[in-house]
Amino acid sequence: MHIALPETARPLRTETLSCDFAVIGGGLAGVCAAISAARRGLRVVLVQDRPVLGGNASSEVRLWTLGATAHMGAPQRWAREGGLIDEILLENFHRNREGNALFFDAVLLDKVVSEPNITLLLNTAALEVEKSDADTISAVNAFCSQNSTRYEIRAPLFCDASGDGIVGFLAGAAFRMGAESREEFGEKFAPNREYGELLGHSIYFYTKDTGREVRYLPPSFALQNVPEKIPRFRRFNTRDHGCQLWWIEYGGRLDTVHDTEKIKWELWRVCYGVWDYIKNSGEFPDAKNLTLEWIGHIPGKRESRRFEGDVWVKQQDVIEQKQWHDAVAFGGWALDLHPADGVYSEKSGCTHWRMRGLYGIPYRALYSKNLKNLFLGGRTMSVTHAAYGSTRVMATLAHCAQAIGAAAFLCQEHGISPREVGEYIEDLQRDLWRNGQHIPEISFRDADDLAQTATISASSELVLSRLESNEKTTPLCDARGMILPLEKGRAPRVTLLADAEKDTEIELSLRVSGKAHNHDFNEILDRKIVPIKAGKKVPVVFDFEAPIESARYGLFVVWSNPDVALHQTDTRLSGVLGVRFAYRQDPFRGGDARGKSVETSDESDIGVEVFDVYLPQRRPEGHNFALEIEPPLRAFAPENLRNGVQRPTNASNAFLADFADKSPQIRFSWPQKQRISRVELFFDTDFDHPVESVLMGHPESKMPFCAKHFRLKHGETVLFERDGNFQSHVSAQFPSVETDELVLEIVESWGDVPRGLFEVRIYA
């Protein structure tokens, strides 16, 4: 028995935790910053004020994780973020194909608790900041309501990934809330006051079909007269739920930090009122057997404080794809602002203005300008409100945060501040690249990589001359085409096969992108109209004289003709895609991908480019087209394995074996024996597929292009073998051997595709 006698006051139980790096906030950004630092040897304390990790991606909010892939709805191809966030999403893809939010919680928790260098504090909220001087944080004090314990977390380095920036706010870091004027940074897309200066919150709900009739009696606080009060209610149907209803948004006119509880209550009123109308108005008879299975207890926040770094990323940097010397991550989501009145607005729920390709994000936007030891993780990073419309999505922020973890390691290694990491920026970029983090237009070759001095040969090499028809066709209701990797020089002669109902003519064009690493295909190198005879498997021949000025992807387009259908192929292979014309982005005519009008500007010029967008379809749809190529494409040579690029960019960057070679061997040989103990392998997990974390299901749980079973051999000795691989990056470590030859054998892939991979690095 414990007996406590009366006292004047009692202190909380207090624990002091000392570490190398303290991360406040356990959303995806905080998780990635913490794991990234811990894997490099730093002792990390990760503080999360909720009972689960993931923030907006967690089961408490249930927003799907997404970034530059943009549901495959943007012009950039092979744009999924690499490195740690890719590892997490592929783990979820493997375990959780159906998109169960609870399972994603478990994936994140598993990743964190598997790191021995991380101390995780759940249900623990930061309350106070201690400083050793005006510019330096020495400790963050936090309280856990579940164990009634106060924690003093002391560290030389801190990362504020809390969303609202509680650490930066308490410590006096410079920040902003609301939109900048158009004049301050010359941003034509900056919203006016009538549109509103802040993005609101959303609460989601899930429905369930019980198989029998379910009645619904609303609570007293449920919103009444829903159709009159919610202009966009007409967009609802009984099939959509979860974050498909992102437009049930509110709070952009309020203080999105201090008014969050007020915003939450209004969103609850809306959600329960919406469900009342669906169930009881008689307008939705198909809702008879539906019930509310879940409704969010906390809102998903989009925006609050943005803190000032050494640079502001602005709209022009995003649209023009500025090349930062200190780029450490990338973005690609559209410039996506929402009207501040949210669900009560007459305006369209959002904007989606795309850029032509990926844009880099500079390291200087990821630390505080006036605090020496504070990193800015997640949505606290240094971007303007207009640019924030693109950078705010979770996979982009997680991509930036894994760079923060790597930068924290450099701070410890060299005894420097986050700002001084800029003097070691190439070391930071190389570290990230080594771990699979893609940075647009940046590649490295390691001096220590023995693959660079090896003679590389393979049992076969794909020379692409033909893709066989599966006897199925795609009608040309809109333009269709094939994206192919091209070398400098004359474009190859490409022949597609078509069924034509009558004699007709058809327009063909060869398109490339203005920037070699983009995939917008808005420069027409050549075009012609050719006659087509009625019949089956009629050849459609692209025979153009226009030169290809440098290695890049080309798009061979057949324009729409309802009397013609192109033959498909079942063959899929890395770095080759069949696409269709999807939409024209044209703000001057008042429309974008979703047909939205220009509502954030009094002028038609909002600083956004006009261009056509060609898109593939998701598997199991989205077939390539049957074709012949002359001369054949030699785009998949073993030499690609050491070019320093781990995904398709301006080239395939992949080695692929011949179609008939089902267990190819790649041989690395040297004139003298080498000591080898580690091989870094980078496989094709289809960086074009978004792998959304929740709600949206996926056609498979492993990427068909990825090597399932592979082994590394020295003579007849197997040094490393893995069966069941589904990750992009595998670090194969084994007892050191001396050899003049190393063989990689790809025994099996997940799909019936040409076997291959992107990169092999070999170390002593």
Side-chain angles (χ1 to χ4, degrees):
M1 176 183 292
H2 177 77
I3 299 176
L5 298 176
E7 298 182 46
T8 303
R10 296 187 181 96
L12 286 169
R13 174 182 174 230
T14 299
E15 283 189 31
T16 299
L17 301 176
S18 296
C19 61
D20 303 312
F21 185 45
V23 180
I24 313 303
L28 279 184
V31 165
C32 286
I35 295 176
S36 179
R39 288 183 177 177
R40 289 165 172 82
L42 273 63
R43 294 173 299 121
V44 179
V45 172
L46 175 59
V47 181
Q48 166 68 328
D49 63 357
R50 306 301 305 168
V52 291
L53 296 167
N56 281 348
S58 75
S59 61
E60 290 193 312
V61 179
R62 305 193 183 191
L63 176 63
W64 47 47
T65 303
L66 206 61
T69 54
H71 296 301
M72 294 176 68
Q76 54 266 18
R77 304 269 55 85
W78 301 289
R80 196 174 73 242
E81 295 72 15
L84 178 55
I85 185 58
D86 183 54
E87 174 191 326
I88 290 170
L89 291 176
L90 286 173
E91 185 76 37
N92 184 65
F93 181 75
H94 170 64
R95 295 175 179 266
N96 186 21
R97 172 183 170 185
E98 294 75 22
N100 186 314
L102 295 175
F103 293 166
F104 191 52
D105 285 351
V107 166
L108 293 177
L109 186 61
D110 197 13
K111 287 291 181 184
V112 169
V113 300
S114 296
E115 296 296 332
N117 285 334
I118 296 179
T119 298
L120 174 62
L121 303 178
L122 293 175
N123 293 307
T124 304
L127 298 173
E128 299 171 328
V129 166
E130 297 179 21
K131 298 171 74 173
S132 57
D133 58 50
D135 303 328
T136 308
I137 301 170
S138 57
V140 169
N141 299 326
F143 175 67
C144 177
S145 60
Q146 297 301 297
N147 62 10
S148 197
T149 298
R150 178 179 179 271
Y151 293 96
E152 293 179 356
I153 303 155
R154 300 193 171 274
L157 296 165
F158 294 84
C159 174
D160 190 337
S162 64
D164 287 340
I166 184 62
V167 175
F169 176 79
L170 293 173
F175 75 91
R176 295 182 176 194
M177 280 185 72
E180 289 78 12
S181 69
R182 295 173 192 170
E183 292 72 29
E184 182 173 2
F185 291 104
E187 297 176 303
K188 296 180 179 180
F189 189 51
N192 54 35
R193 290 185 179 275
E194 187 272 332
Y195 188 80
E197 299 184 6
L198 277 172
L199 301 168
H201 304 357
S202 286
I203 278 179
Y204 307 127
F205 60 83
Y206 279 31
T207 60
K208 178 182 179 180
D209 189 335
T210 66
R212 60 181 178 81
E213 187 170 351
V214 178
R215 70 171 186 153
Y216 174 68
L217 300 175
S220 61
F221 57 80
L223 185 69
Q224 303 295 311
N225 300 319
V226 165
E228 298 174 17
K229 295 182 179 178
I230 301 179
R232 289 195 306 277
F233 185 81
R234 60 186 178 275
R235 293 183 48 191
F236 192 82
N237 62 69
T238 54
R239 296 181 301 277
D240 285 348
H241 63 274
C243 43
Q244 293 161 335
L245 300 177
W246 53 267
W247 55 270
I248 297 182
E249 177 180 354
Y250 179 72
R253 299 283 184 197
L254 302 177
D255 180 336
T256 53
V257 176
H258 299 105
D259 289 336
T260 287
E261 283 294 290
K262 182 188 298 184
I263 295 168
K264 176 195 73 177
W265 269 105
E266 187 62 21
L267 287 167
W268 274 350
R269 291 184 67 235
V270 170
C271 288
Y272 284 106
V274 162
W275 194 243
D276 178 32
Y277 184 71
I278 289 171
K279 290 292 289 185
N280 297 321
S281 68
E283 297 294 324
F284 300 89
D286 54 341
K288 180 177 65 173
N289 294 348
L290 295 182
T291 188
L292 270 183
E293 182 184 32
W294 169 86
I295 188 166
H297 293 148
I298 62 172
K301 287 193 180 185
R302 288 184 177 84
E303 182 180 17
S304 54
R305 302 180 181 113
R306 293 171 288 110
F307 286 78
E308 186 171 359
D310 276 347
V311 297
W312 286 102
V313 179
K314 57 187 182 299
Q315 174 189 344
Q316 299 93 311
D317 303 328
V318 169
I319 294 297
E320 298 167 11
Q321 301 172 266
K322 180 172 180 175
Q323 291 299 300
W324 303 91
H325 79 277
D326 60 339
V328 291
F330 66 80
W333 186 257
L335 291 174
D336 177 14
L337 300 183
H338 300 189
D341 294 317
V343 73
Y344 295 124
S345 175
E346 293 280 355
K347 300 179 185 298
S348 178
C350 71
T351 62
H352 273 79
W353 299 111
R354 314 285 188 186
M355 60 294 307
R356 292 181 181 270
L358 302 177
Y359 60 88
I361 296 175
Y363 171 71
R364 285 168 294 162
L366 304 180
Y367 58 83
S368 170
K369 180 178 182 178
N370 66 295
L371 293 175
K372 292 179 180 178
N373 62 339
L374 180 64
F375 287 101
L376 305 175
R379 55 188 175 86
T380 65
M381 64 188 285
S382 183
V383 296
T384 66
H385 174 76
Y388 179 81
S390 174
T391 63
R392 63 186 174 83
V393 290
M394 286 186 283
T396 300
L397 299 178
H399 202 226
C400 294
Q402 58 201 42
I404 287 173
F409 167 73
L410 288 176
C411 288
Q412 185 198 58
E413 183 180 42
H414 297 290
I416 57 177
S417 68
R419 175 177 284 118
E420 292 169 316
V421 170
E423 300 171 18
Y424 299 86
I425 197 64
E426 189 170 309
D427 293 343
L428 176 58
Q429 292 168 329
R430 181 180 288 106
D431 181 346
L432 296 168
W433 163 76
R434 283 173 174 164
N435 287 278
Q437 179 148 334
H438 181 63
I439 307 171
E441 300 189 48
I442 292 180
S443 64
F444 290 95
R445 300 197 186 201
D446 258 346
D448 299 331
D449 175 16
L450 297 174
Q452 297 296 324
T453 59
T455 298
I456 307 178
S457 59
S459 56
S460 68
E461 173 190 335
L462 178 63
V463 179
L464 185 59
S465 61
R466 186 181 182 88
L467 295 176
E468 297 286 348
S469 170
N470 62 7
E471 305 303 325
K472 298 177 183 177
T473 60
T474 299
L476 287 176
C477 300
D478 46 26
R480 303 277 173 159
M482 284 290 291
I483 298 177
L484 299 172
L486 304 178
E487 292 297 317
K488 180 179 179 180
R490 190 178 187 274
R493 188 173 188 262
V494 174
T495 302
L496 303 181
L497 297 177
D499 290 353
E501 294 184 4
K502 63 180 183 180
D503 291 355
T504 185
E505 58 184 24
I506 201 162
E507 180 179 331
L508 309 179
S509 62
L510 173 57
R511 294 169 171 253
V512 296
S513 303
K515 292 185 177 181
H517 287 72
N518 284 354
H519 305 109
D520 60 284
F521 304 113
N522 273 267
E523 290 193 7
I524 300 176
L525 291 187
D526 205 345
R527 71 198 310 171
K528 61 178 64 174
I529 295 175
V530 299
I532 300 290
K533 290 287 188 182
K536 303 290 186 182
K537 291 189 176 179
V538 179
V540 178
V541 183
F542 295 80
D543 194 4
F544 294 132
E545 300 289 339
I548 309 299
E549 295 182 353
S550 63
R552 62 185 60 209
Y553 272 88
L555 173 60
F556 294 80
V557 178
V558 184
W559 203 249
S560 57
N561 184 325
D563 297 318
V564 179
L566 291 183
H567 275 251
Q568 300 175 356
T569 178
D570 286 332
T571 305
R572 302 184 190 274
L573 63 159
S574 300
V576 170
L577 283 172
V579 296
R580 60 185 174 84
F581 172 78
Y583 60 88
R584 165 165 285 190
Q585 173 167 286
D586 190 350
F588 294 97
R589 294 180 179 235
D592 74 343
R594 301 182 182 182
K596 294 177 177 58
S597 60
V598 182
E599 295 165 341
T600 56
S601 177
D602 298 327
E603 309 167 8
S604 57
D605 183 5
I606 56 171
V608 175
E609 295 181 293
V610 178
F611 56 92
D612 294 339
V613 178
Y614 294 83
L615 300 177
Q617 294 174 283
R618 288 177 181 248
R619 293 188 304 277
E621 305 302 325
H623 291 278
N624 293 327
F625 297 108
L627 54 73
E628 293 183 2
I629 306 175
E630 179 59 40
L633 288 183
R634 296 183 174 273
F636 309 102
E639 190 64 27
N640 289 344
L641 295 174
R642 59 181 172 194
N643 72 0
V645 188
Q646 301 151 356
R647 64 178 64 204
T649 53
N650 65 318
S652 78
N653 299 313
F655 159 73
L656 293 181
D658 186 77
F659 292 114
D661 191 351
K662 299 302 184 181
S663 294
Q665 293 187 339
I666 305 118
R667 202 170 298 270
F668 301 83
S669 57
W670 299 267
Q672 294 86 30
K673 287 189 175 183
Q674 309 291 324
R675 182 164 292 279
I676 298 170
S677 64
R678 177 169 59 94
V679 178
E680 304 293 330
L681 302 151
F682 293 85
F683 297 103
D684 184 359
T685 56
D686 188 8
F687 286 106
D688 209 50
H689 189 80
V691 294
E692 295 94 342
S693 54
V694 299
L695 193 60
M696 292 186 69
H698 299 280
E700 65 272 300
S701 58
K702 292 93 177 174
M703 296 299 181
F705 310 104
C706 183
K708 171 183 179 288
H709 184 189
F710 65 91
R711 60 174 70 102
L712 290 163
K713 297 168 64 177
H714 152 52
E716 295 303 312
T717 303
V718 175
L719 302 174
F720 184 93
E721 184 169 12
R722 178 167 294 177
D723 192 359
N725 173 60
F726 54 85
Q727 286 287 356
S728 305
H729 178 202
V730 176
S731 182
Q733 303 189 43
F734 43 83
S736 178
V737 297
E738 282 195 355
T739 183
D740 59 4
E741 186 175 83
L742 181 72
V743 175
L744 168 63
E745 182 178 1
I746 301 176
V747 181
E748 185 182 4
S749 293
W750 288 106
D752 185 15
V753 297
R755 284 24 172 180
L757 73 165
F758 286 124
E759 187 169 58
V760 178
R761 299 201 307 271
I762 304 169
Y763 297 97

Short mmCIF file of all heavy atoms in Angstrom, two decimals, residues 506-529:
data_model
loop_
_atom_site.label_atom_id
_atom_site.label_comp_id
_atom_site.label_asym_id
_atom_site.label_seq_id
_atom_site.Cartn_x
_atom_site.Cartn_y
_atom_site.Cartn_z
N ILE A 506 -4.51 9.48 -90.58
CA ILE A 506 -4.25 9.65 -89.15
C ILE A 506 -3.02 10.53 -88.98
O ILE A 506 -2.10 10.52 -89.81
CB ILE A 506 -4.06 8.27 -88.48
CG1 ILE A 506 -4.28 8.36 -86.98
CG2 ILE A 506 -2.70 7.67 -88.81
CD1 ILE A 506 -4.53 7.03 -86.34
N GLU A 507 -3.02 11.31 -87.91
CA GLU A 507 -1.89 12.21 -87.63
C GLU A 507 -0.92 11.54 -86.67
O GLU A 507 -1.31 11.01 -85.62
CB GLU A 507 -2.38 13.52 -87.02
CG GLU A 507 -1.24 14.50 -86.72
CD GLU A 507 -1.71 15.82 -86.13
OE1 GLU A 507 -2.85 16.22 -86.44
OE2 GLU A 507 -0.94 16.42 -85.37
N LEU A 508 0.36 11.57 -87.02
CA LEU A 508 1.43 11.04 -86.20
C LEU A 508 2.36 12.17 -85.82
O LEU A 508 2.58 13.11 -86.59
CB LEU A 508 2.24 9.98 -86.96
CG LEU A 508 1.46 8.84 -87.64
CD1 LEU A 508 2.43 7.91 -88.36
CD2 LEU A 508 0.63 8.09 -86.64
N SER A 509 2.93 12.09 -84.62
CA SER A 509 3.93 13.09 -84.23
C SER A 509 4.96 12.47 -83.31
O SER A 509 4.68 11.48 -82.62
CB SER A 509 3.28 14.30 -83.55
OG SER A 509 2.63 13.93 -82.37
N LEU A 510 6.15 13.04 -83.34
CA LEU A 510 7.22 12.68 -82.42
C LEU A 510 7.46 13.88 -81.52
O LEU A 510 7.76 14.98 -82.00
CB LEU A 510 8.50 12.32 -83.17
CG LEU A 510 9.75 12.09 -82.30
CD1 LEU A 510 9.52 11.01 -81.26
CD2 LEU A 510 10.95 11.76 -83.18
N ARG A 511 7.31 13.65 -80.22
CA ARG A 511 7.43 14.73 -79.25
C ARG A 511 8.55 14.44 -78.27
O ARG A 511 8.79 13.29 -77.90
CB ARG A 511 6.11 14.88 -78.47
CG ARG A 511 4.93 15.34 -79.30
CD ARG A 511 3.62 15.21 -78.54
NE ARG A 511 2.51 15.84 -79.25
CZ ARG A 511 1.94 16.98 -78.88
NH1 ARG A 511 2.36 17.62 -77.80
NH2 ARG A 511 0.94 17.48 -79.57
N VAL A 512 9.21 15.51 -77.81
CA VAL A 512 10.19 15.42 -76.74
C VAL A 512 9.90 16.54 -75.74
O VAL A 512 9.04 17.38 -75.98
CB VAL A 512 11.64 15.52 -77.27
CG1 VAL A 512 11.98 14.35 -78.16
CG2 VAL A 512 11.87 16.85 -77.98
N SER A 513 10.63 16.55 -74.65
CA SER A 513 10.48 17.60 -73.64
C SER A 513 11.60 18.62 -73.77
O SER A 513 12.72 18.28 -74.17
CB SER A 513 10.51 16.97 -72.24
OG SER A 513 9.49 15.99 -72.12
N GLY A 514 11.29 19.85 -73.40
CA GLY A 514 12.29 20.91 -73.48
C GLY A 514 13.49 20.64 -72.60
O GLY A 514 14.63 20.90 -72.98
N LYS A 515 13.25 20.11 -71.41
CA LYS A 515 14.32 19.68 -70.52
C LYS A 515 14.45 18.17 -70.63
O LYS A 515 13.46 17.44 -70.54
CB LYS A 515 14.03 20.08 -69.08
CG LYS A 515 14.07 21.58 -68.84
CD LYS A 515 13.90 21.91 -67.35
CE LYS A 515 14.00 23.41 -67.11
NZ LYS A 515 13.86 23.75 -65.67
N ALA A 516 15.67 17.70 -70.80
CA ALA A 516 15.88 16.28 -71.09
C ALA A 516 15.35 15.37 -70.00
O ALA A 516 14.97 14.23 -70.27
CB ALA A 516 17.37 16.02 -71.33
N HIS A 517 15.31 15.85 -68.73
CA HIS A 517 14.87 15.01 -67.62
C HIS A 517 13.36 15.10 -67.38
O HIS A 517 12.84 14.44 -66.50
CB HIS A 517 15.62 15.38 -66.34
CG HIS A 517 17.05 14.93 -66.33
ND1 HIS A 517 18.01 15.53 -67.11
CD2 HIS A 517 17.67 13.94 -65.65
CE1 HIS A 517 19.16 14.92 -66.90
NE2 HIS A 517 18.98 13.96 -66.03
N ASN A 518 12.65 15.93 -68.15
CA ASN A 518 11.20 16.03 -68.03
C ASN A 518 10.50 15.03 -68.93
O ASN A 518 11.11 14.47 -69.85
CB ASN A 518 10.72 17.44 -68.38
CG ASN A 518 11.00 18.44 -67.28
OD1 ASN A 518 11.46 18.09 -66.20
ND2 ASN A 518 10.72 19.71 -67.56
N HIS A 519 9.19 14.85 -68.67
CA HIS A 519 8.40 13.92 -69.48
C HIS A 519 7.06 14.57 -69.85
O HIS A 519 6.01 13.92 -69.81
CB HIS A 519 8.19 12.61 -68.71
CG HIS A 519 9.46 11.98 -68.26
ND1 HIS A 519 9.85 11.94 -66.93
CD2 HIS A 519 10.46 11.40 -68.95
CE1 HIS A 519 11.01 11.35 -66.83
NE2 HIS A 519 11.41 11.01 -68.03
N ASP A 520 7.11 15.87 -70.20
CA ASP A 520 5.88 16.56 -70.59
C ASP A 520 5.63 16.48 -72.09
O ASP A 520 4.49 16.66 -72.54
CB ASP A 520 5.92 18.02 -70.13
CG ASP A 520 7.09 18.79 -70.73
OD1 ASP A 520 8.22 18.59 -70.27
OD2 ASP A 520 6.86 19.59 -71.66
N PHE A 521 6.67 16.26 -72.90
CA PHE A 521 6.54 15.99 -74.33
C PHE A 521 5.74 17.05 -75.06
O PHE A 521 4.81 16.75 -75.82
CB PHE A 521 5.92 14.60 -74.56
CG PHE A 521 6.69 13.50 -73.89
CD1 PHE A 521 6.12 12.79 -72.84
CD2 PHE A 521 7.97 13.19 -74.29
CE1 PHE A 521 6.83 11.79 -72.20
CE2 PHE A 521 8.69 12.19 -73.67
CZ PHE A 521 8.12 11.48 -72.62
N ASN A 522 6.11 18.30 -74.86
CA ASN A 522 5.38 19.39 -75.49
C ASN A 522 6.15 20.08 -76.61
O ASN A 522 5.72 21.10 -77.13
CB ASN A 522 4.93 20.40 -74.43
CG ASN A 522 3.60 20.02 -73.82
OD1 ASN A 522 2.56 20.47 -74.27
ND2 ASN A 522 3.62 19.13 -72.83
N GLU A 523 7.29 19.51 -77.00
CA GLU A 523 7.99 19.99 -78.18
C GLU A 523 7.79 18.98 -79.30
O GLU A 523 8.18 17.81 -79.17
CB GLU A 523 9.48 20.19 -77.89
CG GLU A 523 9.76 21.37 -76.97
CD GLU A 523 11.23 21.75 -76.96
OE1 GLU A 523 12.01 21.19 -77.77
OE2 GLU A 523 11.59 22.60 -76.15
N ILE A 524 7.18 19.41 -80.38
CA ILE A 524 6.93 18.52 -81.51
C ILE A 524 8.11 18.60 -82.47
O ILE A 524 8.36 19.64 -83.09
CB ILE A 524 5.62 18.90 -82.22
CG1 ILE A 524 4.44 18.80 -81.26
CG2 ILE A 524 5.39 18.00 -83.44
CD1 ILE A 524 3.12 19.26 -81.85
N LEU A 525 8.86 17.50 -82.58
CA LEU A 525 10.00 17.48 -83.49
C LEU A 525 9.55 17.31 -84.94
O LEU A 525 10.15 17.85 -85.86
CB LEU A 525 10.95 16.34 -83.12
CG LEU A 525 11.73 16.48 -81.81
CD1 LEU A 525 12.74 15.36 -81.68
CD2 LEU A 525 12.43 17.83 -81.72
N ASP A 526 8.52 16.52 -85.13
CA ASP A 526 8.02 16.30 -86.49
C ASP A 526 6.59 15.78 -86.39
O ASP A 526 6.20 15.18 -85.38
CB ASP A 526 8.90 15.29 -87.22
CG ASP A 526 8.85 15.47 -88.74
OD1 ASP A 526 7.93 16.17 -89.22
OD2 ASP A 526 9.72 14.90 -89.43
N ARG A 527 5.84 16.00 -87.44
CA ARG A 527 4.48 15.48 -87.50
C ARG A 527 4.11 15.29 -88.96
O ARG A 527 4.64 15.95 -89.85
CB ARG A 527 3.49 16.43 -86.82
CG ARG A 527 3.26 17.73 -87.58
CD ARG A 527 2.65 18.83 -86.76
NE ARG A 527 1.48 18.43 -86.02
CZ ARG A 527 0.90 19.21 -85.10
NH1 ARG A 527 1.42 20.41 -84.83
NH2 ARG A 527 -0.18 18.81 -84.46
N LYS A 528 3.22 14.36 -89.19
CA LYS A 528 2.73 14.15 -90.56
C LYS A 528 1.39 13.44 -90.49
O LYS A 528 1.06 12.78 -89.51
CB LYS A 528 3.72 13.34 -91.39
CG LYS A 528 4.01 11.95 -90.89
CD LYS A 528 4.97 11.18 -91.80
CE LYS A 528 6.34 11.81 -91.86
NZ LYS A 528 7.31 11.00 -92.62
N ILE A 529 0.62 13.60 -91.55
CA ILE A 529 -0.65 12.90 -91.69
C ILE A 529 -0.45 11.80 -92.72
O ILE A 529 0.02 12.06 -93.84
CB ILE A 529 -1.77 13.86 -92.10
CG1 ILE A 529 -2.01 14.88 -90.99
CG2 ILE A 529 -3.06 13.09 -92.40
CD1 ILE A 529 -3.01 15.96 -91.34
#
